[in-house]
PDB file of all heavy atoms in Angstrom:
ATOM      1  N   GLU P 616      96.654  41.876  70.375  1.00 73.00           N
ATOM      2  CA  GLU P 616      95.412  41.260  70.841  1.00 73.00           C
ATOM      3  C   GLU P 616      95.569  40.524  72.168  1.00 73.00           C
ATOM      4  O   GLU P 616      94.614  40.394  72.938  1.00 73.00           O
ATOM      5  CB  GLU P 616      94.868  40.302  69.774  1.00 73.00           C
ATOM      6  CG  GLU P 616      94.475  40.971  68.463  1.00 73.00           C
ATOM      7  CD  GLU P 616      93.180  41.749  68.559  1.00 73.00           C
ATOM      8  OE1 GLU P 616      92.421  41.509  69.514  1.00 73.00           O
ATOM      9  OE2 GLU P 616      92.926  42.600  67.682  1.00 73.00           O
ATOM     10  N   GLU P 617      96.780  40.026  72.467  1.00 75.00           N
ATOM     11  CA  GLU P 617      96.992  39.298  73.718  1.00 75.00           C
ATOM     12  C   GLU P 617      96.732  40.185  74.935  1.00 75.00           C
ATOM     13  O   GLU P 617      96.313  39.704  75.990  1.00 75.00           O
ATOM     14  CB  GLU P 617      98.419  38.742  73.771  1.00 75.00           C
ATOM     15  CG  GLU P 617      98.699  37.661  72.731  1.00 75.00           C
ATOM     16  CD  GLU P 617     100.107  37.114  72.841  1.00 75.00           C
ATOM     17  OE1 GLU P 617     100.852  37.575  73.737  1.00 75.00           O
ATOM     18  OE2 GLU P 617     100.454  36.229  72.029  1.00 75.00           O
ATOM     19  N   VAL P 618      96.976  41.490  74.772  1.00 78.00           N
ATOM     20  CA  VAL P 618      96.800  42.412  75.895  1.00 78.00           C
ATOM     21  C   VAL P 618      95.326  42.553  76.268  1.00 78.00           C
ATOM     22  O   VAL P 618      94.990  42.889  77.404  1.00 78.00           O
ATOM     23  CB  VAL P 618      97.419  43.787  75.555  1.00 78.00           C
ATOM     24  CG1 VAL P 618      97.219  44.774  76.694  1.00 78.00           C
ATOM     25  CG2 VAL P 618      98.900  43.639  75.262  1.00 78.00           C
ATOM     26  N   LEU P 619      94.422  42.292  75.325  1.00 77.00           N
ATOM     27  CA  LEU P 619      92.996  42.386  75.608  1.00 77.00           C
ATOM     28  C   LEU P 619      92.582  41.467  76.745  1.00 77.00           C
ATOM     29  O   LEU P 619      91.586  41.713  77.431  1.00 77.00           O
ATOM     30  CB  LEU P 619      92.178  42.051  74.358  1.00 77.00           C
ATOM     31  CG  LEU P 619      92.178  43.089  73.237  1.00 77.00           C
ATOM     32  CD1 LEU P 619      91.411  42.558  72.044  1.00 77.00           C
ATOM     33  CD2 LEU P 619      91.572  44.402  73.708  1.00 77.00           C
ATOM     34  N   ASN P 620      93.319  40.400  76.946  1.00 75.00           N
ATOM     35  CA  ASN P 620      92.989  39.423  77.989  1.00 75.00           C
ATOM     36  C   ASN P 620      93.680  39.718  79.311  1.00 75.00           C
ATOM     37  O   ASN P 620      93.533  38.965  80.279  1.00 75.00           O
ATOM     38  CB  ASN P 620      93.372  38.015  77.523  1.00 75.00           C
ATOM     39  CG  ASN P 620      92.628  37.598  76.267  1.00 75.00           C
ATOM     40  OD1 ASN P 620      91.428  37.857  76.140  1.00 75.00           O
ATOM     41  ND2 ASN P 620      93.321  36.961  75.336  1.00 75.00           N
ATOM     42  N   SER P 621      94.421  40.815  79.365  1.00 77.00           N
ATOM     43  CA  SER P 621      95.156  41.151  80.579  1.00 77.00           C
ATOM     44  C   SER P 621      94.214  41.680  81.658  1.00 77.00           C
ATOM     45  O   SER P 621      93.266  42.410  81.373  1.00 77.00           O
ATOM     46  CB  SER P 621      96.227  42.199  80.273  1.00 77.00           C
ATOM     47  OG  SER P 621      96.849  42.635  81.467  1.00 77.00           O
ATOM     48  N   ASP P 622      94.481  41.323  82.912  1.00 82.00           N
ATOM     49  CA  ASP P 622      93.725  41.857  84.038  1.00 82.00           C
ATOM     50  C   ASP P 622      94.306  43.177  84.523  1.00 82.00           C
ATOM     51  O   ASP P 622      93.739  43.813  85.419  1.00 82.00           O
ATOM     52  CB  ASP P 622      93.725  40.848  85.200  1.00 82.00           C
ATOM     53  CG  ASP P 622      92.976  39.573  84.865  1.00 82.00           C
ATOM     54  OD1 ASP P 622      91.997  39.658  84.093  1.00 82.00           O
ATOM     55  OD2 ASP P 622      93.364  38.499  85.365  1.00 82.00           O
ATOM     56  N   ASP P 623      95.421  43.567  83.928  1.00 90.00           N
ATOM     57  CA  ASP P 623      96.117  44.781  84.330  1.00 90.00           C
ATOM     58  C   ASP P 623      95.652  45.933  83.444  1.00 90.00           C
ATOM     59  O   ASP P 623      96.036  46.029  82.273  1.00 90.00           O
ATOM     60  CB  ASP P 623      97.634  44.578  84.203  1.00 90.00           C
ATOM     61  CG  ASP P 623      98.433  45.758  84.722  1.00 90.00           C
ATOM     62  OD1 ASP P 623      97.865  46.851  84.872  1.00 90.00           O
ATOM     63  OD2 ASP P 623      99.644  45.584  84.972  1.00 90.00           O
ATOM     64  N   ILE P 624      94.821  46.823  83.982  1.00 92.00           N
ATOM     65  CA  ILE P 624      94.257  47.897  83.176  1.00 92.00           C
ATOM     66  C   ILE P 624      95.323  48.872  82.695  1.00 92.00           C
ATOM     67  O   ILE P 624      95.214  49.447  81.611  1.00 92.00           O
ATOM     68  CB  ILE P 624      93.145  48.645  83.954  1.00 92.00           C
ATOM     69  CG1 ILE P 624      92.326  49.513  82.986  1.00 92.00           C
ATOM     70  CG2 ILE P 624      93.727  49.489  85.083  1.00 92.00           C
ATOM     71  CD1 ILE P 624      91.065  50.081  83.594  1.00 92.00           C
ATOM     72  N   ILE P 625      96.401  49.042  83.466  1.00 92.00           N
ATOM     73  CA  ILE P 625      97.467  49.949  83.049  1.00 92.00           C
ATOM     74  C   ILE P 625      98.253  49.345  81.885  1.00 92.00           C
ATOM     75  O   ILE P 625      98.686  50.062  80.977  1.00 92.00           O
ATOM     76  CB  ILE P 625      98.400  50.286  84.221  1.00 92.00           C
ATOM     77  CG1 ILE P 625      97.603  50.965  85.341  1.00 92.00           C
ATOM     78  CG2 ILE P 625      99.534  51.199  83.758  1.00 92.00           C
ATOM     79  CD1 ILE P 625      96.839  52.208  84.909  1.00 92.00           C
ATOM     80  N   GLU P 626      98.403  48.032  81.876  1.00 90.00           N
ATOM     81  CA  GLU P 626      99.042  47.374  80.730  1.00 90.00           C
ATOM     82  C   GLU P 626      98.208  47.589  79.473  1.00 90.00           C
ATOM     83  O   GLU P 626      98.750  47.896  78.397  1.00 90.00           O
ATOM     84  CB  GLU P 626      99.214  45.882  80.995  1.00 90.00           C
ATOM     85  CG  GLU P 626      99.894  45.145  79.845  1.00 90.00           C
ATOM     86  CD  GLU P 626     100.008  43.651  80.081  1.00 90.00           C
ATOM     87  OE1 GLU P 626      99.250  43.110  80.916  1.00 90.00           O
ATOM     88  OE2 GLU P 626     100.845  43.006  79.408  1.00 90.00           O
ATOM     89  N   LEU P 627      96.899  47.457  79.604  1.00 91.00           N
ATOM     90  CA  LEU P 627      96.017  47.676  78.459  1.00 91.00           C
ATOM     91  C   LEU P 627      96.052  49.153  78.040  1.00 91.00           C
ATOM     92  O   LEU P 627      96.139  49.468  76.842  1.00 91.00           O
ATOM     93  CB  LEU P 627      94.590  47.262  78.814  1.00 91.00           C
ATOM     94  CG  LEU P 627      93.521  47.490  77.736  1.00 91.00           C
ATOM     95  CD1 LEU P 627      93.905  46.816  76.429  1.00 91.00           C
ATOM     96  CD2 LEU P 627      92.162  46.996  78.219  1.00 91.00           C
ATOM     97  N   PHE P 628      95.989  50.069  78.997  1.00 93.00           N
ATOM     98  CA  PHE P 628      96.076  51.497  78.712  1.00 93.00           C
ATOM     99  C   PHE P 628      97.356  51.819  77.944  1.00 93.00           C
ATOM    100  O   PHE P 628      97.336  52.565  76.952  1.00 93.00           O
ATOM    101  CB  PHE P 628      96.031  52.276  80.033  1.00 93.00           C
ATOM    102  CG  PHE P 628      96.398  53.730  79.917  1.00 93.00           C
ATOM    103  CD1 PHE P 628      95.512  54.651  79.374  1.00 93.00           C
ATOM    104  CD2 PHE P 628      97.632  54.185  80.368  1.00 93.00           C
ATOM    105  CE1 PHE P 628      95.844  55.996  79.280  1.00 93.00           C
ATOM    106  CE2 PHE P 628      97.971  55.527  80.282  1.00 93.00           C
ATOM    107  CZ  PHE P 628      97.081  56.438  79.738  1.00 93.00           C
ATOM    108  N   THR P 629      98.469  51.242  78.393  1.00 89.00           N
ATOM    109  CA  THR P 629      99.759  51.470  77.733  1.00 89.00           C
ATOM    110  C   THR P 629      99.737  51.005  76.288  1.00 89.00           C
ATOM    111  O   THR P 629     100.222  51.699  75.387  1.00 89.00           O
ATOM    112  CB  THR P 629     100.880  50.745  78.496  1.00 89.00           C
ATOM    113  OG1 THR P 629     100.932  51.212  79.841  1.00 89.00           O
ATOM    114  CG2 THR P 629     102.235  50.968  77.834  1.00 89.00           C
ATOM    115  N   GLU P 630      99.157  49.834  76.056  1.00 87.00           N
ATOM    116  CA  GLU P 630      99.091  49.307  74.688  1.00 87.00           C
ATOM    117  C   GLU P 630      98.163  50.152  73.819  1.00 87.00           C
ATOM    118  O   GLU P 630      98.444  50.387  72.642  1.00 87.00           O
ATOM    119  CB  GLU P 630      98.622  47.851  74.715  1.00 87.00           C
ATOM    120  CG  GLU P 630      98.410  47.215  73.344  1.00 87.00           C
ATOM    121  CD  GLU P 630      99.673  47.162  72.484  1.00 87.00           C
ATOM    122  OE1 GLU P 630     100.786  47.362  73.027  1.00 87.00           O
ATOM    123  OE2 GLU P 630      99.540  46.927  71.270  1.00 87.00           O
ATOM    124  N   LEU P 631      97.080  50.645  74.386  1.00 90.00           N
ATOM    125  CA  LEU P 631      96.174  51.509  73.639  1.00 90.00           C
ATOM    126  C   LEU P 631      96.856  52.825  73.283  1.00 90.00           C
ATOM    127  O   LEU P 631      96.693  53.336  72.170  1.00 90.00           O
ATOM    128  CB  LEU P 631      94.909  51.773  74.444  1.00 90.00           C
ATOM    129  CG  LEU P 631      94.006  50.565  74.717  1.00 90.00           C
ATOM    130  CD1 LEU P 631      92.841  50.961  75.614  1.00 90.00           C
ATOM    131  CD2 LEU P 631      93.490  49.949  73.422  1.00 90.00           C
ATOM    132  N   LYS P 632      97.626  53.373  74.203  1.00 89.00           N
ATOM    133  CA  LYS P 632      98.378  54.597  73.921  1.00 89.00           C
ATOM    134  C   LYS P 632      99.390  54.358  72.802  1.00 89.00           C
ATOM    135  O   LYS P 632      99.601  55.212  71.939  1.00 89.00           O
ATOM    136  CB  LYS P 632      99.087  55.086  75.184  1.00 89.00           C
ATOM    137  CG  LYS P 632      98.216  55.905  76.113  1.00 89.00           C
ATOM    138  CD  LYS P 632      97.875  57.258  75.508  1.00 89.00           C
ATOM    139  CE  LYS P 632      97.217  58.186  76.489  1.00 89.00           C
ATOM    140  NZ  LYS P 632      96.902  59.514  75.908  1.00 89.00           N
ATOM    141  N   ARG P 633     100.017  53.200  72.815  1.00 83.00           N
ATOM    142  CA  ARG P 633     100.960  52.875  71.746  1.00 83.00           C
ATOM    143  C   ARG P 633     100.226  52.830  70.408  1.00 83.00           C
ATOM    144  O   ARG P 633     100.702  53.369  69.405  1.00 83.00           O
ATOM    145  CB  ARG P 633     101.632  51.521  72.019  1.00 83.00           C
ATOM    146  CG  ARG P 633     102.720  51.170  70.996  1.00 83.00           C
ATOM    147  CD  ARG P 633     102.938  49.678  70.890  1.00 83.00           C
ATOM    148  NE  ARG P 633     101.735  48.985  70.476  1.00 83.00           N
ATOM    149  CZ  ARG P 633     101.261  48.984  69.235  1.00 83.00           C
ATOM    150  NH1 ARG P 633     101.879  49.655  68.266  1.00 83.00           N
ATOM    151  NH2 ARG P 633     100.160  48.324  68.933  1.00 83.00           N
ATOM    152  N   ALA P 634      99.049  52.209  70.391  1.00 84.00           N
ATOM    153  CA  ALA P 634      98.259  52.147  69.162  1.00 84.00           C
ATOM    154  C   ALA P 634      97.885  53.543  68.680  1.00 84.00           C
ATOM    155  O   ALA P 634      97.776  53.794  67.478  1.00 84.00           O
ATOM    156  CB  ALA P 634      97.003  51.302  69.384  1.00 84.00           C
ATOM    157  N   ASP P 635      97.722  54.472  69.615  1.00 83.00           N
ATOM    158  CA  ASP P 635      97.374  55.859  69.273  1.00 83.00           C
ATOM    159  C   ASP P 635      98.580  56.691  68.863  1.00 83.00           C
ATOM    160  O   ASP P 635      98.433  57.886  68.571  1.00 83.00           O
ATOM    161  CB  ASP P 635      96.694  56.536  70.462  1.00 83.00           C
ATOM    162  CG  ASP P 635      95.256  56.075  70.649  1.00 83.00           C
ATOM    163  OD1 ASP P 635      94.677  55.535  69.689  1.00 83.00           O
ATOM    164  OD2 ASP P 635      94.718  56.253  71.753  1.00 83.00           O
ATOM    165  N   GLY P 636      99.775  56.083  68.872  1.00 78.00           N
ATOM    166  CA  GLY P 636     100.959  56.792  68.410  1.00 78.00           C
ATOM    167  C   GLY P 636     101.887  57.269  69.494  1.00 78.00           C
ATOM    168  O   GLY P 636     102.892  57.933  69.221  1.00 78.00           O
ATOM    169  N   PHE P 637     101.604  56.946  70.758  1.00 76.00           N
ATOM    170  CA  PHE P 637     102.500  57.314  71.850  1.00 76.00           C
ATOM    171  C   PHE P 637     103.444  56.159  72.146  1.00 76.00           C
ATOM    172  O   PHE P 637     102.999  55.050  72.445  1.00 76.00           O
ATOM    173  CB  PHE P 637     101.703  57.638  73.116  1.00 76.00           C
ATOM    174  CG  PHE P 637     100.983  58.949  73.065  1.00 76.00           C
ATOM    175  CD1 PHE P 637      99.743  59.048  72.455  1.00 76.00           C
ATOM    176  CD2 PHE P 637     101.541  60.075  73.624  1.00 76.00           C
ATOM    177  CE1 PHE P 637      99.068  60.259  72.408  1.00 76.00           C
ATOM    178  CE2 PHE P 637     100.878  61.294  73.586  1.00 76.00           C
ATOM    179  CZ  PHE P 637      99.636  61.377  72.970  1.00 76.00           C
ATOM    180  N   ASP P 638     104.728  56.419  72.083  1.00 62.00           N
ATOM    181  CA  ASP P 638     105.722  55.405  72.433  1.00 62.00           C
ATOM    182  C   ASP P 638     105.973  55.501  73.924  1.00 62.00           C
ATOM    183  O   ASP P 638     106.595  56.441  74.409  1.00 62.00           O
ATOM    184  CB  ASP P 638     107.017  55.658  71.659  1.00 62.00           C
ATOM    185  CG  ASP P 638     108.068  54.611  71.949  1.00 62.00           C
ATOM    186  OD1 ASP P 638     107.806  53.690  72.745  1.00 62.00           O
ATOM    187  OD2 ASP P 638     109.167  54.723  71.397  1.00 62.00           O
ATOM    188  N   VAL P 639     105.463  54.526  74.669  1.00 44.00           N
ATOM    189  CA  VAL P 639     105.610  54.561  76.122  1.00 44.00           C
ATOM    190  C   VAL P 639     106.703  53.627  76.608  1.00 44.00           C
ATOM    191  O   VAL P 639     106.789  53.317  77.777  1.00 44.00           O
ATOM    192  CB  VAL P 639     104.269  54.204  76.819  1.00 44.00           C
ATOM    193  CG1 VAL P 639     103.250  55.260  76.529  1.00 44.00           C
ATOM    194  CG2 VAL P 639     103.768  52.845  76.385  1.00 44.00           C
ATOM    195  N   GLY P 640     107.542  53.168  75.719  1.00 43.00           N
ATOM    196  CA  GLY P 640     108.659  52.316  76.101  1.00 43.00           C
ATOM    197  C   GLY P 640     109.953  52.859  75.546  1.00 43.00           C
ATOM    198  O   GLY P 640     110.029  53.947  75.020  1.00 43.00           O
ATOM    199  N   GLY P 641     111.019  52.087  75.674  1.00 41.00           N
ATOM    200  CA  GLY P 641     112.299  52.450  75.078  1.00 41.00           C
ATOM    201  C   GLY P 641     112.867  53.761  75.572  1.00 41.00           C
ATOM    202  O   GLY P 641     113.522  54.489  74.844  1.00 41.00           O
ATOM    203  N   GLY P 642     112.609  54.078  76.858  1.00 45.00           N
ATOM    204  CA  GLY P 642     113.164  55.293  77.412  1.00 45.00           C
ATOM    205  C   GLY P 642     112.395  56.548  77.057  1.00 45.00           C
ATOM    206  O   GLY P 642     112.826  57.651  77.363  1.00 45.00           O
ATOM    207  N   GLU P 643     111.229  56.399  76.406  1.00 69.00           N
ATOM    208  CA  GLU P 643     110.414  57.554  76.055  1.00 69.00           C
ATOM    209  C   GLU P 643     109.430  57.844  77.201  1.00 69.00           C
ATOM    210  O   GLU P 643     109.814  57.833  78.344  1.00 69.00           O
ATOM    211  CB  GLU P 643     109.692  57.288  74.728  1.00 69.00           C
ATOM    212  CG  GLU P 643     110.631  57.045  73.555  1.00 69.00           C
ATOM    213  CD  GLU P 643     111.442  58.283  73.186  1.00 69.00           C
ATOM    214  OE1 GLU P 643     110.955  59.397  73.437  1.00 69.00           O
ATOM    215  OE2 GLU P 643     112.544  58.133  72.660  1.00 69.00           O
ATOM    216  N   ILE P 644     108.166  58.085  76.884  1.00 82.00           N
ATOM    217  CA  ILE P 644     107.209  58.415  77.941  1.00 82.00           C
ATOM    218  C   ILE P 644     106.830  57.146  78.705  1.00 82.00           C
ATOM    219  O   ILE P 644     106.353  56.184  78.116  1.00 82.00           O
ATOM    220  CB  ILE P 644     105.929  59.024  77.356  1.00 82.00           C
ATOM    221  CG1 ILE P 644     106.266  60.105  76.336  1.00 82.00           C
ATOM    222  CG2 ILE P 644     105.079  59.626  78.469  1.00 82.00           C
ATOM    223  CD1 ILE P 644     105.056  60.636  75.613  1.00 82.00           C
ATOM    224  N   ALA P 645     107.021  57.170  80.001  1.00 86.00           N
ATOM    225  CA  ALA P 645     106.650  56.021  80.821  1.00 86.00           C
ATOM    226  C   ALA P 645     105.142  55.995  81.017  1.00 86.00           C
ATOM    227  O   ALA P 645     104.480  57.039  81.020  1.00 86.00           O
ATOM    228  CB  ALA P 645     107.356  56.092  82.167  1.00 86.00           C
ATOM    229  N   ALA P 646     104.598  54.801  81.190  1.00 89.00           N
ATOM    230  CA  ALA P 646     103.153  54.664  81.376  1.00 89.00           C
ATOM    231  C   ALA P 646     102.673  55.462  82.570  1.00 89.00           C
ATOM    232  O   ALA P 646     101.611  56.093  82.516  1.00 89.00           O
ATOM    233  CB  ALA P 646     102.791  53.190  81.533  1.00 89.00           C
ATOM    234  N   ASP P 647     103.443  55.467  83.680  1.00 92.00           N
ATOM    235  CA  ASP P 647     102.980  56.180  84.867  1.00 92.00           C
ATOM    236  C   ASP P 647     102.927  57.691  84.639  1.00 92.00           C
ATOM    237  O   ASP P 647     102.125  58.391  85.256  1.00 92.00           O
ATOM    238  CB  ASP P 647     103.831  55.846  86.091  1.00 92.00           C
ATOM    239  CG  ASP P 647     105.303  56.184  85.915  1.00 92.00           C
ATOM    240  OD1 ASP P 647     105.711  56.588  84.816  1.00 92.00           O
ATOM    241  OD2 ASP P 647     106.052  56.016  86.899  1.00 92.00           O
ATOM    242  N   ALA P 648     103.759  58.205  83.712  1.00 92.00           N
ATOM    243  CA  ALA P 648     103.707  59.633  83.381  1.00 92.00           C
ATOM    244  C   ALA P 648     102.411  59.970  82.656  1.00 92.00           C
ATOM    245  O   ALA P 648     101.811  61.030  82.877  1.00 92.00           O
ATOM    246  CB  ALA P 648     104.907  60.029  82.534  1.00 92.00           C
ATOM    247  N   LEU P 649     101.948  59.063  81.799  1.00 93.00           N
ATOM    248  CA  LEU P 649     100.690  59.284  81.081  1.00 93.00           C
ATOM    249  C   LEU P 649      99.489  59.121  82.002  1.00 93.00           C
ATOM    250  O   LEU P 649      98.487  59.821  81.861  1.00 93.00           O
ATOM    251  CB  LEU P 649     100.590  58.331  79.892  1.00 93.00           C
ATOM    252  CG  LEU P 649     101.560  58.631  78.739  1.00 93.00           C
ATOM    253  CD1 LEU P 649     101.506  57.533  77.690  1.00 93.00           C
ATOM    254  CD2 LEU P 649     101.258  59.986  78.113  1.00 93.00           C
ATOM    255  N   VAL P 650      99.593  58.206  82.980  1.00 94.00           N
ATOM    256  CA  VAL P 650      98.520  58.067  83.963  1.00 94.00           C
ATOM    257  C   VAL P 650      98.441  59.319  84.831  1.00 94.00           C
ATOM    258  O   VAL P 650      97.350  59.819  85.138  1.00 94.00           O
ATOM    259  CB  VAL P 650      98.736  56.813  84.836  1.00 94.00           C
ATOM    260  CG1 VAL P 650      97.717  56.766  85.968  1.00 94.00           C
ATOM    261  CG2 VAL P 650      98.634  55.548  83.994  1.00 94.00           C
ATOM    262  N   LYS P 651      99.600  59.849  85.201  1.00 96.00           N
ATOM    263  CA  LYS P 651      99.638  61.091  85.979  1.00 96.00           C
ATOM    264  C   LYS P 651      99.026  62.240  85.171  1.00 96.00           C
ATOM    265  O   LYS P 651      98.299  63.079  85.720  1.00 96.00           O
ATOM    266  CB  LYS P 651     101.077  61.424  86.366  1.00 96.00           C
ATOM    267  CG  LYS P 651     101.208  62.636  87.266  1.00 96.00           C
ATOM    268  CD  LYS P 651     102.656  62.869  87.668  1.00 96.00           C
ATOM    269  CE  LYS P 651     102.792  64.100  88.560  1.00 96.00           C
ATOM    270  NZ  LYS P 651     104.211  64.340  88.948  1.00 96.00           N
ATOM    271  N   GLN P 652      99.306  62.287  83.862  1.00 96.00           N
ATOM    272  CA  GLN P 652      98.697  63.304  83.010  1.00 96.00           C
ATOM    273  C   GLN P 652      97.179  63.157  83.013  1.00 96.00           C
ATOM    274  O   GLN P 652      96.444  64.145  83.102  1.00 96.00           O
ATOM    275  CB  GLN P 652      99.221  63.193  81.579  1.00 96.00           C
ATOM    276  CG  GLN P 652      98.628  64.233  80.637  1.00 96.00           C
ATOM    277  CD  GLN P 652      98.854  63.919  79.169  1.00 96.00           C
ATOM    278  OE1 GLN P 652      98.813  62.754  78.767  1.00 96.00           O
ATOM    279  NE2 GLN P 652      99.099  64.946  78.354  1.00 96.00           N
TER     280      GLN P 652
END
């Protein structure tokens, strides 16, 4: 929920992708790769 208050839309996008089952950390898919997609 803390991310909801973020001004960084990519941070929010990353957290939403994580909620959807995409692991965008820990050496897996980077957020910028998903934005490029």
Side-chain angles (χ1 to χ4, degrees):
E616 297 286 342
E617 294 181 1
V618 179
L619 288 176
N620 299 318
S621 174
D622 294 328
D623 185 342
I624 195 169
I625 300 304
E626 181 183 20
L627 177 55
F628 168 75
T629 301
E630 176 61 15
L631 295 176
K632 277 291 190 179
R633 185 205 60 75
D635 285 341
F637 287 83
D638 182 0
V639 295
E643 299 294 333
I644 313 174
D647 59 355
L649 290 173
V650 173
K651 184 177 179 181
Q652 180 195 37

